[in-house]
């Protein structure tokens, strides 16, 4: 599609604006979307699951993961098995990248065609109100889409750390997928198979939220649900920012040390026929602190139809809520619109075919 070839207007890295005394108009959200609205100072937080007991499935892990995905769509994991030394090395490499001179980063400026590289906006609506964040987006799997030349060359350890991190977090996703299958009463490998077996896709988005002159008027990332399968988020180790919508209220997530935050994406909502929820979330920014987070998107093979797993529709009265669609088609739809509200997957519910 032509409209996805180029950005509709010149892209300005947010980092280059962050020392400005005022917030440029392009980043001022309408009053109803500003961070203070609907944000209750609650002590409520997302569930925490100790994965030490997986993969045996014992110790209540399956129940804990499946409960969290039914009621929250989000949970934190501790004892996840990914080397903490690797996590630290990976995070510092990317922090180093965002602190390189702008000219070096701009070598990797991205386009809306694939989004790969260094970017500052999502969606191609001309004149849209923008989010206060820059990012780097890359493909890790399938192998034919992974291209080291599209990853930053500097800092020197970045590519190696990213490769190692990708391998380890993929293993973690597979363990979580097994728990999610068992939690639906399916064979342990059922959801993985439905996602494409060993041909799953993985993309990584490193988010960098610079200091913001008016954090009360802006958002780092607008409300959205993640379009893929699962997301494993490595949050900043010092600065909070992620908020999850629970019963209409924005809840601030407080990451535990050495934890990952995992959330259900739209494709798992579809596969599970809405037993598991892909939940809206957003990011707030700060006046005095920048923030780095890394989203690891675990996605289906992109060219196979993804629909509710047939076994889940066997019981009387269980109708398919979604018509099968490839992730390629779904992603194209999302990329045109940019981050926008509660599961875009709902736009497709109207197309559901009762009784199939
Ligand atoms: C994302 C996302 C949250 C964060 O990248 O999709 O929701 O805390 N990130 O940066
Ligand atoms: Ni997200």
């Amino acid at each position: 599609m032509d409209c996805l070839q180029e950005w509709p207007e010149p892209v300005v890295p947010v980092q280059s604006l962050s020392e400005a005394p005022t917030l440029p108009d392009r980043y001022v959200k309408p009053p109803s979307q500003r961070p203070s609205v609907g944000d209750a100072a609650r002590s409520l937080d997302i569930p925490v699951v100790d994965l030490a007991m997986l993969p045996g499935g014992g110790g209540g892990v399956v129940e804990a993961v499946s409960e969290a995905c039914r009621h929250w769509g989000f949970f934190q994991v501790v004892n996840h098995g990914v080397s903490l030394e690797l996590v630290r090395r990976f995070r510092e490499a990317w922090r180093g990248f965002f602190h390189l001179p702008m000219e070096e980063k701009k070598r990797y400026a991205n386009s809306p065609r694939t989004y790969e590289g260094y970017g500052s906006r999502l969606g191609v609506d001309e004149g849209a109100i923008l989010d206060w964040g820059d990012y780097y987006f890359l493909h890790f799997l399938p192998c034919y889409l992974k291209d080291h030349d599209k990853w930053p060359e500097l800092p020197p350890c970045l590519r190696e750390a990213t490769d190692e991190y990708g391998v380890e977090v993929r293993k973690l996703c597979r363990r979580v997928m097994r728990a999610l299958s068992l939690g639906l009463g399916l064979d342990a490998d059922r959801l993985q198979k439905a996602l494409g077996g060993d041909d799953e896709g993985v993309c990584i988005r490193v988010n960098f939220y610079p200091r913001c002159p008016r954090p009360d008027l802006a958002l780092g990332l607008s409300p959205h649900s993640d379009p893929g399968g699962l997301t494993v988020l490595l949050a900043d180790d010092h600065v909070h920012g992620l908020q999850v919508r629970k019963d209409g209220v924005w809840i601030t997530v407080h990451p535990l040390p050495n934890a990952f935050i995992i959330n259900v994406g739209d494709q798992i909502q579809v596969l599970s026929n809405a037993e598991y929820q892909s939940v809206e979330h957003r990011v707030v920014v700060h006046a005095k602190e920048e923030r780095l987070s890394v989203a690891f998107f675990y996605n289906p093979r992109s060219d196979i139809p993804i629909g509710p797993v047939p076994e889940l529709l066997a019981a009387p009265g269980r109708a398919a809520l979604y018509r099968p669609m490839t992730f390629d088609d779904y992603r194209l739809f999302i990329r045109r619109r940019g981050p926008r509200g509660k599961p875009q997957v709902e736009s497709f519910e109207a197309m559901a075919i009762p009784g199939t």
Side-chain angles (χ1 to χ4, degrees), residues 4 7 20-21 30 43 61-62 69-70 83 99 112-113 137 176 187 196 199 212 246 259 264-265 272 315 324:
L4 285 184
W7 300 115
S43 56
V61 169
V62 168
C69 293
R70 285 171 200 274
S83 147
H99 285 126
R113 203 169 46 77
F137 183 75
V176 173
D187 290 345
D199 294 330
C212 178
K246 173 75 173 158
V264 171
S272 71

Side-chain angles (χ1 to χ4, degrees), residues 259-279:
F260 286 118
I261 298 163
I262 300 188
N263 65 283
V264 171
D266 294 346
Q267 306 304 309
I268 295 285
Q269 177 168 327
V270 169
L271 286 171
S272 71
N273 205 31
E275 295 281 330
Y276 296 143
Q277 302 290 325
S278 141
V279 167

